[in-house]
Amino acid sequence: VSKHSCTISSSLSVNMHSHSRVISDHLSSIKGYAEILFDNKDVSSEQIKKYSNVILKNVSYMESLIDDLKLTYQLENGIAPLQCIEQNFVRFLKELVINVLNHPEYEERTIHFDCTKENIMLSFDHKLMTRAFQNLIINAFAHGNDDTEITIRITVLNNILQIIVSDNGKGMRPEEVNHLFQRYYRGTNT
């Protein structure tokens, strides 16, 4: 058995453990609401909508966890189906920012966009890059205050593309910073 396969096996084991615990929590919630809907004939239509919404949100979250686990497996085994296409990275990020701000939950938020160039061509996987930057932006809002503002700064110097995503939020506790690149570390309850 190679060292590489042991590392993958160990990493997948940690991922499976983390994901199975979270999925189990969400399944318990779904089961509880489903039992209420099934057993109680006096549930109002408003409660049915409320409980159904909770169930749908839990299912959606579990689907994203399963997709994440699948992607992790593919990336760690070198079989990720990357769809890299050359495209304008500035336009991509601007459109992503607009899409985030068009969501009702974030429409009152502020994202500053700082880039001196309008056209920076780059080959990248649109889906994965969207996921990465959406996570950065949404996490900044989710873990910040209502007045948290985000700045996205794009620069090119000596043919090196630099993207800085920063916010004016409260920052991270030192113990969280130590786990910053530890996959699936949960600094707060989700």
Side-chain angles (χ1 to χ4, degrees), residues 47-61:
Q47 287 175 309
I48 290 172
K49 282 184 179 180
K50 180 180 175 185
Y51 297 161
S52 298
N53 189 39
V54 171
I55 290 171
L56 289 172
K57 282 184 179 180
N58 278 286
V59 168
S60 178
Y61 186 74

PDB file of all heavy atoms in Angstrom, residues 47-61:
ATOM      1  N   GLN A  47     -48.555  25.764   9.105  1.00  0.00           N
ATOM      2  CA  GLN A  47     -47.544  24.906   9.722  1.00  0.00           C
ATOM      3  C   GLN A  47     -46.991  23.907   8.709  1.00  0.00           C
ATOM      4  O   GLN A  47     -45.794  23.611   8.716  1.00  0.00           O
ATOM      5  CB  GLN A  47     -48.140  24.158  10.920  1.00  0.00           C
ATOM      6  CG  GLN A  47     -48.369  25.036  12.130  1.00  0.00           C
ATOM      7  CD  GLN A  47     -49.082  24.281  13.239  1.00  0.00           C
ATOM      8  OE1 GLN A  47     -50.113  23.652  13.017  1.00  0.00           O
ATOM      9  NE2 GLN A  47     -48.516  24.366  14.435  1.00  0.00           N
ATOM     10  N   ILE A  48     -47.849  23.395   7.854  1.00  0.00           N
ATOM     11  CA  ILE A  48     -47.399  22.453   6.819  1.00  0.00           C
ATOM     12  C   ILE A  48     -46.353  23.120   5.934  1.00  0.00           C
ATOM     13  O   ILE A  48     -45.303  22.549   5.637  1.00  0.00           O
ATOM     14  CB  ILE A  48     -48.582  21.920   5.984  1.00  0.00           C
ATOM     15  CG1 ILE A  48     -49.448  20.992   6.832  1.00  0.00           C
ATOM     16  CG2 ILE A  48     -48.095  21.214   4.720  1.00  0.00           C
ATOM     17  CD1 ILE A  48     -50.745  20.553   6.169  1.00  0.00           C
ATOM     18  N   LYS A  49     -46.629  24.364   5.520  1.00  0.00           N
ATOM     19  CA  LYS A  49     -45.661  25.097   4.693  1.00  0.00           C
ATOM     20  C   LYS A  49     -44.361  25.317   5.456  1.00  0.00           C
ATOM     21  O   LYS A  49     -43.267  25.139   4.913  1.00  0.00           O
ATOM     22  CB  LYS A  49     -46.243  26.445   4.255  1.00  0.00           C
ATOM     23  CG  LYS A  49     -47.215  26.357   3.123  1.00  0.00           C
ATOM     24  CD  LYS A  49     -47.667  27.730   2.687  1.00  0.00           C
ATOM     25  CE  LYS A  49     -48.625  27.627   1.520  1.00  0.00           C
ATOM     26  NZ  LYS A  49     -49.077  28.936   1.069  1.00  0.00           N
ATOM     27  N   LYS A  50     -44.461  25.712   6.720  1.00  0.00           N
ATOM     28  CA  LYS A  50     -43.275  25.974   7.541  1.00  0.00           C
ATOM     29  C   LYS A  50     -42.437  24.708   7.705  1.00  0.00           C
ATOM     30  O   LYS A  50     -41.231  24.718   7.492  1.00  0.00           O
ATOM     31  CB  LYS A  50     -43.707  26.507   8.906  1.00  0.00           C
ATOM     32  CG  LYS A  50     -42.560  26.809   9.837  1.00  0.00           C
ATOM     33  CD  LYS A  50     -43.068  27.334  11.176  1.00  0.00           C
ATOM     34  CE  LYS A  50     -41.926  27.530  12.148  1.00  0.00           C
ATOM     35  NZ  LYS A  50     -42.410  27.934  13.477  1.00  0.00           N
ATOM     36  N   TYR A  51     -43.086  23.597   8.073  1.00  0.00           N
ATOM     37  CA  TYR A  51     -42.359  22.345   8.275  1.00  0.00           C
ATOM     38  C   TYR A  51     -41.788  21.814   6.969  1.00  0.00           C
ATOM     39  O   TYR A  51     -40.671  21.299   6.928  1.00  0.00           O
ATOM     40  CB  TYR A  51     -43.268  21.293   8.913  1.00  0.00           C
ATOM     41  CG  TYR A  51     -43.772  21.654  10.300  1.00  0.00           C
ATOM     42  CD1 TYR A  51     -44.881  21.016  10.838  1.00  0.00           C
ATOM     43  CD2 TYR A  51     -43.152  22.626  11.079  1.00  0.00           C
ATOM     44  CE1 TYR A  51     -45.356  21.337  12.108  1.00  0.00           C
ATOM     45  CE2 TYR A  51     -43.618  22.958  12.340  1.00  0.00           C
ATOM     46  CZ  TYR A  51     -44.725  22.309  12.849  1.00  0.00           C
ATOM     47  OH  TYR A  51     -45.187  22.623  14.100  1.00  0.00           O
ATOM     48  N   SER A  52     -42.556  21.943   5.894  1.00  0.00           N
ATOM     49  CA  SER A  52     -42.068  21.494   4.583  1.00  0.00           C
ATOM     50  C   SER A  52     -40.837  22.290   4.164  1.00  0.00           C
ATOM     51  O   SER A  52     -39.892  21.730   3.596  1.00  0.00           O
ATOM     52  CB  SER A  52     -43.165  21.638   3.525  1.00  0.00           C
ATOM     53  OG  SER A  52     -44.255  20.825   3.843  1.00  0.00           O
ATOM     54  N   ASN A  53     -40.854  23.583   4.443  1.00  0.00           N
ATOM     55  CA  ASN A  53     -39.707  24.429   4.120  1.00  0.00           C
ATOM     56  C   ASN A  53     -38.468  23.979   4.891  1.00  0.00           C
ATOM     57  O   ASN A  53     -37.368  23.920   4.333  1.00  0.00           O
ATOM     58  CB  ASN A  53     -40.031  25.897   4.420  1.00  0.00           C
ATOM     59  CG  ASN A  53     -38.961  26.827   3.912  1.00  0.00           C
ATOM     60  OD1 ASN A  53     -38.413  26.625   2.831  1.00  0.00           O
ATOM     61  ND2 ASN A  53     -38.659  27.846   4.692  1.00  0.00           N
ATOM     62  N   VAL A  54     -38.630  23.652   6.179  1.00  0.00           N
ATOM     63  CA  VAL A  54     -37.510  23.161   6.980  1.00  0.00           C
ATOM     64  C   VAL A  54     -36.986  21.856   6.395  1.00  0.00           C
ATOM     65  O   VAL A  54     -35.765  21.656   6.259  1.00  0.00           O
ATOM     66  CB  VAL A  54     -37.923  22.964   8.468  1.00  0.00           C
ATOM     67  CG1 VAL A  54     -36.833  22.249   9.245  1.00  0.00           C
ATOM     68  CG2 VAL A  54     -38.242  24.304   9.116  1.00  0.00           C
ATOM     69  N   ILE A  55     -37.879  20.967   6.031  1.00  0.00           N
ATOM     70  CA  ILE A  55     -37.485  19.685   5.431  1.00  0.00           C
ATOM     71  C   ILE A  55     -36.707  19.920   4.139  1.00  0.00           C
ATOM     72  O   ILE A  55     -35.640  19.342   3.926  1.00  0.00           O
ATOM     73  CB  ILE A  55     -38.723  18.787   5.196  1.00  0.00           C
ATOM     74  CG1 ILE A  55     -39.283  18.307   6.534  1.00  0.00           C
ATOM     75  CG2 ILE A  55     -38.378  17.609   4.282  1.00  0.00           C
ATOM     76  CD1 ILE A  55     -40.634  17.600   6.436  1.00  0.00           C
ATOM     77  N   LEU A  56     -37.236  20.788   3.265  1.00  0.00           N
ATOM     78  CA  LEU A  56     -36.569  21.058   1.985  1.00  0.00           C
ATOM     79  C   LEU A  56     -35.184  21.670   2.188  1.00  0.00           C
ATOM     80  O   LEU A  56     -34.236  21.332   1.479  1.00  0.00           O
ATOM     81  CB  LEU A  56     -37.439  21.950   1.107  1.00  0.00           C
ATOM     82  CG  LEU A  56     -38.694  21.282   0.546  1.00  0.00           C
ATOM     83  CD1 LEU A  56     -39.586  22.317  -0.139  1.00  0.00           C
ATOM     84  CD2 LEU A  56     -38.322  20.162  -0.406  1.00  0.00           C
ATOM     85  N   LYS A  57     -35.054  22.579   3.149  1.00  0.00           N
ATOM     86  CA  LYS A  57     -33.743  23.185   3.426  1.00  0.00           C
ATOM     87  C   LYS A  57     -32.752  22.129   3.913  1.00  0.00           C
ATOM     88  O   LYS A  57     -31.586  22.137   3.520  1.00  0.00           O
ATOM     89  CB  LYS A  57     -33.871  24.307   4.458  1.00  0.00           C
ATOM     90  CG  LYS A  57     -34.410  25.589   3.894  1.00  0.00           C
ATOM     91  CD  LYS A  57     -34.428  26.689   4.945  1.00  0.00           C
ATOM     92  CE  LYS A  57     -34.943  27.987   4.348  1.00  0.00           C
ATOM     93  NZ  LYS A  57     -34.968  29.074   5.333  1.00  0.00           N
ATOM     94  N   ASN A  58     -33.213  21.223   4.769  1.00  0.00           N
ATOM     95  CA  ASN A  58     -32.337  20.164   5.265  1.00  0.00           C
ATOM     96  C   ASN A  58     -31.914  19.225   4.145  1.00  0.00           C
ATOM     97  O   ASN A  58     -30.756  18.819   4.074  1.00  0.00           O
ATOM     98  CB  ASN A  58     -33.022  19.390   6.394  1.00  0.00           C
ATOM     99  CG  ASN A  58     -32.898  20.080   7.727  1.00  0.00           C
ATOM    100  OD1 ASN A  58     -31.833  20.074   8.329  1.00  0.00           O
ATOM    101  ND2 ASN A  58     -33.969  20.689   8.189  1.00  0.00           N
ATOM    102  N   VAL A  59     -32.844  18.876   3.273  1.00  0.00           N
ATOM    103  CA  VAL A  59     -32.522  18.008   2.136  1.00  0.00           C
ATOM    104  C   VAL A  59     -31.515  18.691   1.223  1.00  0.00           C
ATOM    105  O   VAL A  59     -30.531  18.086   0.789  1.00  0.00           O
ATOM    106  CB  VAL A  59     -33.801  17.611   1.361  1.00  0.00           C
ATOM    107  CG1 VAL A  59     -33.453  16.971   0.021  1.00  0.00           C
ATOM    108  CG2 VAL A  59     -34.654  16.676   2.200  1.00  0.00           C
ATOM    109  N   SER A  60     -31.739  19.967   0.937  1.00  0.00           N
ATOM    110  CA  SER A  60     -30.828  20.717   0.077  1.00  0.00           C
ATOM    111  C   SER A  60     -29.418  20.763   0.676  1.00  0.00           C
ATOM    112  O   SER A  60     -28.425  20.577  -0.033  1.00  0.00           O
ATOM    113  CB  SER A  60     -31.367  22.132  -0.131  1.00  0.00           C
ATOM    114  OG  SER A  60     -30.481  22.888  -0.910  1.00  0.00           O
ATOM    115  N   TYR A  61     -29.341  20.997   1.973  1.00  0.00           N
ATOM    116  CA  TYR A  61     -28.034  21.045   2.638  1.00  0.00           C
ATOM    117  C   TYR A  61     -27.343  19.686   2.565  1.00  0.00           C
ATOM    118  O   TYR A  61     -26.145  19.594   2.289  1.00  0.00           O
ATOM    119  CB  TYR A  61     -28.197  21.498   4.089  1.00  0.00           C
ATOM    120  CG  TYR A  61     -26.874  21.716   4.782  1.00  0.00           C
ATOM    121  CD1 TYR A  61     -26.098  22.824   4.482  1.00  0.00           C
ATOM    122  CD2 TYR A  61     -26.394  20.806   5.707  1.00  0.00           C
ATOM    123  CE1 TYR A  61     -24.871  23.031   5.092  1.00  0.00           C
ATOM    124  CE2 TYR A  61     -25.176  20.999   6.323  1.00  0.00           C
ATOM    125  CZ  TYR A  61     -24.418  22.120   6.017  1.00  0.00           C
ATOM    126  OH  TYR A  61     -23.208  22.305   6.618  1.00  0.00           O
TER     127      TYR A  61
END
